């Protein structure tokens, strides 16, 4: 029952409290670790393709070892003091690995700004949760960016870490989040990270391959009881779930686009350059600010379904 209590307690704490904004948050600490190690490792290897590939691989190994071993040691020490202390501590760790409430709160800042027709405020709010340039976005573009972020991060921010926690507790959850954080920091296909970030990007693709597809299916199922179009979600999920450079990112976006009857993705600006991307979904109607709320309902529905599924499977396997 330990694993079930930890998982359910962590999810409940995230729903109630959300992520605290402080520099001591574990994911922030992993980010600082990545930045520090990147700077040191770049001094050790030659600045050529092989050197950057080797340096990036060393970064991945060091970050994963540190990010996984530290929570293991902390939980072992807590267990020596008292089993209940370890239980509570691991529950708090799991809570810090999940981002459903944070995703909802940040996307709703965009919704509220759009709802009061504060375009500049909405651009600023959406710039905090997307990697694209936001200066050129109109109201529809801002709403679309927020919906896409909620849909995509339903997988790597909530459902995927929940799956890894269910399998291996908080330590495996931290292993996953370390991979995910490295990808978000160094997994770019630009001059600086094309080779240095390749190991992180490829590992992130591998780690998310199964969870992203589970997330897409759960979002299709979620649409059936959150006023979405389940039939449309299934149709677009099957048709457009590979309409992305990443093999994983479009899985939940496709389900969300079909459920809401929207067309997502398409061309976007990054660092002042326009990138051509395929669209996801059909433009059955114009996007509106209320779609951010609908996307959050889909995300929470899929997350609750995942929690139930993880608890049932863990109970069957472990008891």
């Amino acid at each position: 029952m330990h694993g079930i209590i930890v998982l359910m307690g962590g999810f409940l704490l995230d729903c109630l409290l959300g992520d605290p904004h402080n520099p001591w948050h574990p994911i922030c600490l992993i980010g600082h670790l990545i930045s520090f190690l990147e700077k040191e490792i770049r001094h050790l290897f030659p600045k050529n393709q092989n050197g950057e590939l080797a340096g990036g691989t060393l970064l991945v190994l060091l970050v994963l070892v540190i990010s996984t071993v530290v929570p293991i040691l902390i939980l072992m020490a807590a267990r020596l003091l008292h089993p209940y202390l370890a239980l509570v501590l691991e529950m708090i760790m799991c809570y810090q690995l999940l981002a459903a409430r944070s995703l909802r709160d940040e996307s709703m800042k965009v919704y509220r700004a759009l709802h009061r027709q504060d375009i500049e405020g909405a651009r600023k709010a959406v710039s905090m949760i997307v990697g694209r340039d936001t200066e050129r976005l109109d109201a529809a573009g801002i709403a679309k960016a927020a919906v896409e972020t909620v849909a995509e991060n339903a997988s790597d921010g909530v459902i995927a870490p929940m799956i890894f926690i269910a399998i291996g507790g908080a330590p495996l959850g931290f292993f996953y989040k370390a991979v995910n954080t490295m990808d978000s920091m160094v997994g770019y296909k630009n001059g600086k990270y094309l080779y240095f970030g390749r190991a992180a990007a490829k590992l992130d693709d591998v780690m998310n391959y199964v969870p992203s597809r589970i997330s897409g299916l759960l979002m299709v199922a979620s649409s059936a009881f959150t006023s979405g179009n389940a039939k449309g979600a299934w149709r677009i999920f099957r048709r457009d779930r590979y309409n992305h450079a990443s093999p994983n990112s479009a899985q939940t976006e496709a389900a969300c686009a079909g459920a809401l009857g929207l067309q997502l993705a398409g061309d976007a600006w990054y660092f002042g350059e326009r990138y051509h991307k395929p669209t996801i979904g059909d433009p059955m109607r114009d996007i509106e600010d209320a779609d951010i709320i609908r996307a959050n309902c889909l995300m929470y529905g899929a997350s609750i379904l995942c929690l139930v599924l993880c608890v049932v499977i863990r109970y069957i396997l472990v008891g």
Side-chain angles (χ1 to χ4, degrees):
M1 290 296 292
H2 176 98
I4 293 175
I5 294 171
V6 160
L7 184 59
M8 294 182 67
F11 182 78
L12 182 61
L13 284 174
D14 176 66
C15 290
L16 293 174
L17 304 176
D19 279 340
H21 294 280
N22 67 70
W24 298 105
H25 190 286
I27 307 305
C28 290
L29 294 179
I30 291 175
H32 293 319
L33 174 66
I34 293 167
S35 296
F36 170 76
L37 289 176
E38 178 189 351
K39 189 181 299 183
E40 297 302 315
I41 288 172
R42 283 187 181 274
H43 293 314
L44 299 176
F45 291 88
K47 298 186 185 330
N48 55 38
Q49 179 177 334
N50 290 334
E52 295 209 345
L53 286 171
T57 301
L58 179 60
L59 174 72
V60 169
L61 292 173
L62 289 176
V63 171
L64 290 180
V65 168
I66 295 170
S67 300
T68 308
V69 169
V70 169
I72 288 174
L73 293 177
I74 291 173
L75 290 174
M76 287 175 62
R79 208 167 282 119
L80 290 174
L81 295 174
H82 199 286
Y84 285 157
L85 176 61
L87 177 70
V88 172
L89 195 57
E90 189 169 8
M91 189 185 301
I92 293 172
M93 287 180 176
C94 292
Y95 145 59
Q96 293 172 326
L97 291 169
L98 302 176
R101 174 65 183 269
S102 176
L103 188 57
R104 174 196 171 277
D105 288 350
E106 294 303 315
S107 62
M108 286 303 292
K109 290 178 183 178
V110 181
Y111 166 77
R112 285 190 287 271
L114 286 174
H115 197 62
R116 61 175 181 265
Q117 299 182 339
D118 177 8
I119 299 298
E120 285 305 316
R123 287 195 185 110
K124 182 178 179 180
V126 82
S127 72
M128 304 303 291
I129 57 175
V130 300
R132 73 191 67 179
D133 298 344
T134 59
E135 296 85 0
R136 296 177 174 85
L137 295 179
D138 57 11
I142 294 168
K144 185 175 78 166
V147 168
E148 290 169 359
T149 297
V150 172
E152 183 177 348
N153 285 282
S155 178
D156 57 16
V158 189
I159 294 172
M162 201 183 298
I163 291 170
F164 283 100
I165 291 168
I167 295 170
L172 191 59
F174 275 109
F175 182 96
Y176 170 78
K177 291 302 292 184
V179 173
N180 194 238
T181 306
M182 280 189 287
D183 179 62
S184 68
M185 293 180 66
V186 305
Y188 295 101
K189 293 181 179 179
N190 56 25
K192 184 177 181 180
Y193 291 115
L194 181 61
Y195 299 113
F196 189 86
R198 182 169 295 178
K202 294 297 184 184
L203 182 58
D204 184 74
D205 285 345
V206 172
M207 293 287 289
N208 280 294
Y209 189 86
V210 173
S212 66
R213 284 149 180 78
I214 293 174
S215 300
L217 291 171
L218 289 173
M219 190 162 283
V220 171
S222 170
S223 65
F225 61 90
T226 56
S227 300
N229 182 343
K231 185 176 179 180
W234 175 243
R235 181 175 64 85
I236 300 300
F237 171 73
R238 292 180 64 195
R239 192 190 75 187
D240 292 351
R241 61 197 179 106
Y242 292 111
N243 286 10
H244 201 284
S246 163
N248 304 320
S249 296
Q251 303 288 326
T252 45
E253 281 191 52
C256 181
L260 300 183
L262 301 173
Q263 186 172 81
L264 301 177
D267 294 354
W269 291 79
Y270 295 88
F271 307 107
E273 185 176 351
R274 185 172 185 170
Y275 287 78
H276 297 286
K277 298 181 177 184
T279 57
I280 298 172
D282 296 325
M284 299 175 67
R285 62 180 180 83
D286 293 334
I287 194 167
E288 58 186 9
D289 52 19
D291 287 313
I292 300 173
I293 298 176
R294 297 181 185 113
N296 276 299
C297 289
L298 285 169
M299 180 269 293
Y300 265 110
S303 302
I304 292 169
L305 286 174
C306 181
L307 177 65
V308 172
L309 186 63
C310 287
V311 167
V312 169
I313 292 174
R314 188 171 178 91
Y315 181 79
I316 293 172
L317 296 178
V318 181

